[in-house]
Amino acid sequence: MNKPLFLYIVHRLSTEVEYFQPKQEATGRSGISPLQKCTATIRQLAYGGGADPVDEYLRLGETTSRKCLHHFAAGIIHLFDDEYLRRPTPEDLQRLLHVGEQRGFPGMVGSIDCTLNDLNILDRSPVFYDIINGNAPQVNFYVNGREYNLAYYLTDGIYPKWATFIQSIRLPQGAKKILFAQTQEPIRKGVERAFGVLQARFVVVRNPSNLWDKNKISNIMRACLILHNMIVKDERNSNTLEEFQDEDFTYTVKKATRPGNIIARRKEVRDPHIHQQLKQDLIEHIWNKLGHFPNNI
């Protein structure tokens, strides 16, 4: 994290969150400064150690350090959640679709990687609530000359055959399917790499957290995601956001339309026939795009 960004966070917390505002002790001396509190918290997030090691460096007791951590997480969520952990806007979707198309998968907006326990509650997952409720922007794209209107994620083989999931082929037979599997699998690893970056940046995400309740663990995880996005935005070259504005797209992104049949949309998301047709069209699309390169097979 760059120093100006860190000082900006300290300033926002010290002016808008009561716990971080400067106070005086009963003796009239200045209390713990906002800079001390934020530094202690960042060290706990970054190094993943306990609260007591910051005592020697920052003169904070273990209890105070832990309290700083939880107030810091709550403050970050309160101040920055709406900006740095919001749902994708139509402009965000356009960028994601552009990246997906450049990598050979028109209509792809990312990848998903969950554990088996997460899959057990997939039917109740909020991932596709916006689509089912008609709140998500409408996406239309073409693959192999066929039109589709549901963006999809790349997944591994344990996911169900929904229209919004495209898995690899476990034992591909034939040049076309082999090329599809070789193309899909490394791109699908994007979400795992992203989580690896998050763990390397905030070791607290990787370490056990048996001493905290679920709400505090959730807040810490959410705060780390927000801080990660703030760092990425701070380091990003502003020119990269406009680099594809003049290119021709095979997709369109429109504003959400609320009215509609929720049951029909839920059925469409889970339609195995759309899934199979889209997968076959992607196999043909990737073959037509990359099949003439012998090294890809």
Side-chain angles (χ1 to χ4, degrees), residues 208-224:
S209 52
N210 297 329
L211 298 180
W212 300 328
D213 59 44
K214 292 182 179 179
N215 290 334
K216 291 180 179 178
I217 294 173
S218 175
N219 282 350
I220 290 171
M221 184 68 186
R222 197 175 186 90
C224 288

Side-chain angles (χ1 to χ4, degrees), residues 8 12 76-85 226 230:
Y8 169 72
R12 290 289 303 274
I76 290 293
I77 294 171
H78 172 69
L79 295 176
F80 303 110
D81 186 79
D82 291 340
E83 180 178 359
Y84 291 97
L85 210 59
I226 294 172
M230 294 177 74

Side-chain angles (χ1 to χ4, degrees), residues 44 51-52 61-71 211-212:
Q44 292 177 74
D52 55 308
E62 180 179 358
T63 302
T64 304
S65 298
R66 189 177 296 115
K67 187 179 295 185
C68 289
L69 172 64
H70 298 311
H71 281 281
L211 298 180
W212 300 328

Side-chain angles (χ1 to χ4, degrees), residues 224-235:
C224 288
L225 290 170
I226 294 172
L227 290 171
H228 172 76
N229 290 339
M230 294 177 74
I231 295 170
V232 170
K233 183 178 179 180
D234 183 58
E235 296 176 348

Side-chain angles (χ1 to χ4, degrees), residues 178-197:
I178 291 174
L179 179 59
F180 172 82
Q182 290 176 345
T183 306
Q184 193 265 11
E185 289 170 2
I187 298 176
R188 190 192 74 223
K189 296 295 183 180
V191 65
E192 297 181 17
R193 297 188 185 102
F195 190 65
V197 171

